[in-house]
């Protein structure tokens, strides 16, 4: 058979991929039918909402500032609550996240945490095989039959008798799944990830006393939340599930969404459990939202801590909003990973994590995220001090946040070290992503697409608005190109020419350089990068 020819499964759904995956059995008749139904019913609405994002960007470029919506004031003012949270999500003090590869799924579910979020979005490079293998891994995990033998060490991995609750993060509304077409159109990556997981696992989850839980990324408005709610209703009806079975947590990781938290909770009130502070994507979104504004240029990433007023206001508003509606307010990611060969550096890293988690617990968060099981004890130490599995009883009525608080530009300098760090992390992460790895350990942190987005967005912003570094020199495209060349040469010396030649460094360098120096700002790094792996 011609490897590039479409493989017809059940009209009108057609696979279009260069090479088959051994895991295509996850595309069961039930999954194909549900995906086809959801695509036909909702794809046009999804496309329209993406167009609305562009319209808003144009208005902001023309001088409009984001703000709380006057037309939805009655929702913000009214007294209402979400549906009660399921019992197995009542304690979410520590959640671990990671890609859905087989070893990670086992380790994360076995980790001493309350929840594992299997991430098909920022921590997963969406190759065809990664996506299908990830779905198969989750099917096996839900059925408690997942095992793994490490080919390097021979060590066997299997699930413990008691495991963390499972939540799945599908891709955002903006991403397509180009390997699957319905009626001649590529389907939404979000609908693909959602439909395949739900169709294959809803019955087994019910039998085990739990339900399908999801994290919803990159929403920019309550209308996008409404679309997810409609998808949930349609999918539940299609599969004969009671309404409200599917439950979701929404990541507030875009600036526009921060002004619509009440409305997002309201739209999903029968299906939502809480909101999460996706802080790295939120910083990226701040840059992206004001890409055309020279008065919104941000300093070095390392200076943009959660103590900055615009981030502190965002966190406090989220906690107050959630607790008023009896929804969980989840804290952000600790991306540190244990440093096993340097006890002093590891102690500093763990103290940084503890301080961050103590800040979240004291602010009133109900739980937090970690990227490595080695951080679980530190995170629990911070949240155990609250003496409660959640802090819904902390209303934060002291919080008063106005639009200007969320728009306050942080102060700080731009340094050459900051430019170099962005280049180093951006190219190294992008190279890993192109090689099929969406979660890359770099310089003591577990980097994913969100931090890579900050790296390239900051460089673009500094060039585009002719920013100056702390030494007074202008930041130009030529200067960044020279720094990229120097950093890539340093990578050759550090990693070795053979490693550089065997990987995708040349492609990553070209794409990264193009995106940070071109006149137009790309909304997402992963969109043009996806064209190279799809």
């Amino acid at each position: 058979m011609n490897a590039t020819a479409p493989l017809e499964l059940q009209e009108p759904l057609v696979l279009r991929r260069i090479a088959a995956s051994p895991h295509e059995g996850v595309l069961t008749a039930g999954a194909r039918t549900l995906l086809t139904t959801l695509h036909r019913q909702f794809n046009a609405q999804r496309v329209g909402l993406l167009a609305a994002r562009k319209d808003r960007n144009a208005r902001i470029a023309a001088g409009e500032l984001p703000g709380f919506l006057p037309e939805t004031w009655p929702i913000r003012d009214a007294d209402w609550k979400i549906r009660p949270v399921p019992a197995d999500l009542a304690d979410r003090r520590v959640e671990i996240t990671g890609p859905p590869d087989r070893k990670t799924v086992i380790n994360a579910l076995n980790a001493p945490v309350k929840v594992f979020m299997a991430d098909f979005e920022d921590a997963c490079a969406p190759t065809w095989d990664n996506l299908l293998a990830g779905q198969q891994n989750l099917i096996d995990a839900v059925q408690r039959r997942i095992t793994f033998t490490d080919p390097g060490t021979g060590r066997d991995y299997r699930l413990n008798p008691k495991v963390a609750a499972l939540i799945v993060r599908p891709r955002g509304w903006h991403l397509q799944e180009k390997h699957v077409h319905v009626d001649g159109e590529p389907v939404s990556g979000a609908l693909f990830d959602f439909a395949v997981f739900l169709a294959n696992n809803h019955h087994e989850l019910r039998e085990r006393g739990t339900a399908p839980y999801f994290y919803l990324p990159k929403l920019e408005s309550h209308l996008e939340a409404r679309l997810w709610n409609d998808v949930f209703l349609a999918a539940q009806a299609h599969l004969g599930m009671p309404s409200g079975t599917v439950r979701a947590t929404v990541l507030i990781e875009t600036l526009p969404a921060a002004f619509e938290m009440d409305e997002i909770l309201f739209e999903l009130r029968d299906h939502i459990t809480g909101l999460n502070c996706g802080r790295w994507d939120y910083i990226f979104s701040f840059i992206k939202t004001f890409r055309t504004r020279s008065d919104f240029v941000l300093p070095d990433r390392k200076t943009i801590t959660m103590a900055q007023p615009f981030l502190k206001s965002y966190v406090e508003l989220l906690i107050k909003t959630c607790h008023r509606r009896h929804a969980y307010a989840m804290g952000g990611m600790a991306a540190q990973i244990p440093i096993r060969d340097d006890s002093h550096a590891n102690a500093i890293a763990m103290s940084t994590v503890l301080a961050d988690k103590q800040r979240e617990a004291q602010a009133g968060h109900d739980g937090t995220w970690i990227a490595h099981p080695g951080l679980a004890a530190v995170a629990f130490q911070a949240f155990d001090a609250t003496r409660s599995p959640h802090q819904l009883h902390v209303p934060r009525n002291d919080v008063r946040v106005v639009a200007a608080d969320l728009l306050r530009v942080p102060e700080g300098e731009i340094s050459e070290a900051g430019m170099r760090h962005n280049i180093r992390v951006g190219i190294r992460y992008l190279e890993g992503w192109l090689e099929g790895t969406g979660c890359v350990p770099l310089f003591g942190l577990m980097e994913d697409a969100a931090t890579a987005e900050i790296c390239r967005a900051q460089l673009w912003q500094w060039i585009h608005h002719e920013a100056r570094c702390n030494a007074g020199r202008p930041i130009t495209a030529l200067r960044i190109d020279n720094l990229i060349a120097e950093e890539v040469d340093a990578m050759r010396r550090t990693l070795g020419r053979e490693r550089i030649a065997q990987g995708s460094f040349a492609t990553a360098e070209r794409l990264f350089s193009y995106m940070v120096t071109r006149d137009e700002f790309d909304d997402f790094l992963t969109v043009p990068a996806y064209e190279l792996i799809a």
Side-chain angles (χ1 to χ4, degrees), residues 324-346:
R324 183 185 178 198
R325 309 306 181 185
H326 218 72
Y328 281 51
M330 302 303 298
M333 170 65 79
Q336 288 83 357
I337 52 180
I339 306 170
R340 304 192 187 281
D341 57 353
D342 189 332
S343 59
H344 177 68
N346 187 66

Side-chain angles (χ1 to χ4, degrees), residues 185-201:
E185 297 178 314
V187 301
S188 155
L191 292 182
F192 177 88
D193 299 339
F194 168 78
V196 175
F197 178 79
L198 185 67
N200 284 315
N201 296 287

Side-chain angles (χ1 to χ4, degrees), residues 390-451:
H390 58 73
Q391 298 196 80
L392 296 177
H393 56 281
V394 180
R396 290 308 308 267
N397 291 329
D398 59 304
V399 172
R400 298 287 186 273
V401 174
V402 298
D405 297 323
L406 299 176
L407 302 178
R408 184 173 171 181
V409 181
E411 298 179 355
E413 65 181 20
I414 302 170
S415 67
E416 182 171 309
M419 290 185 276
R420 288 184 180 275
H421 183 76
N422 281 346
I423 291 168
R424 201 175 301 131
V425 170
I427 293 178
R428 290 280 298 273
Y429 177 80
L430 184 54
E431 191 274 338
W433 197 92
L434 294 172
E435 287 288 307
T437 301
C439 206
V440 183
L442 294 170
F443 315 113
L445 299 176
M446 190 65 75
E447 304 283 9
D448 67 8
T451 46

Side-chain angles (χ1 to χ4, degrees), residues 124-242:
C124 179
T127 66
W128 183 233
D129 194 55
N130 276 355
L131 295 170
L132 298 190
Q135 291 284 353
Q136 184 64 64
N137 295 337
L138 295 185
I139 292 170
D140 292 345
V142 169
Q143 296 180 5
R144 299 295 192 270
R145 68 187 188 199
I146 187 171
T147 61
F148 175 74
T149 300
D150 191 308
T153 65
R155 180 181 174 186
D156 290 325
Y157 295 79
R158 60 190 67 249
L159 291 180
N160 295 334
K162 184 178 180 181
V163 297
L166 175 65
I167 303 182
V168 177
R169 175 158 70 165
R171 284 167 284 178
W173 283 133
H174 61 289
L175 295 171
Q176 294 180 330
E177 180 45 64
K178 293 193 173 184
H179 300 98
V180 183
H181 287 225
V182 169
D183 298 331
E185 297 178 314
V187 301
S188 155
L191 292 182
F192 177 88
D193 299 339
F194 168 78
V196 175
F197 178 79
L198 185 67
N200 284 315
N201 296 287
H202 72 96
H203 178 75
E204 184 72 21
L205 289 166
R206 183 191 67 196
E207 292 297 305
R208 293 182 178 275
T210 182
Y213 303 142
F214 297 91
Y215 256 107
L216 305 181
K218 305 290 190 295
L219 270 64
E220 294 196 12
S221 75
H222 70 285
L223 298 180
E224 295 181 17
R226 180 182 299 172
L227 174 57
W228 266 120
N229 196 70
D230 291 343
V231 167
F232 292 164
L233 290 171
Q236 289 167 151
H238 178 87
L239 296 170
M241 300 165 62

Side-chain angles (χ1 to χ4, degrees), residues 29 33 46 113 154 176 180 280 284 294 320 371 398 423 455-456:
T33 301
R46 177 186 74 89
V113 298
Q176 294 180 330
V180 183
W280 303 121
F284 163 61
S294 60
K320 178 181 181 179
D398 59 304
I423 291 168
C455 292
R456 65 96 182 178

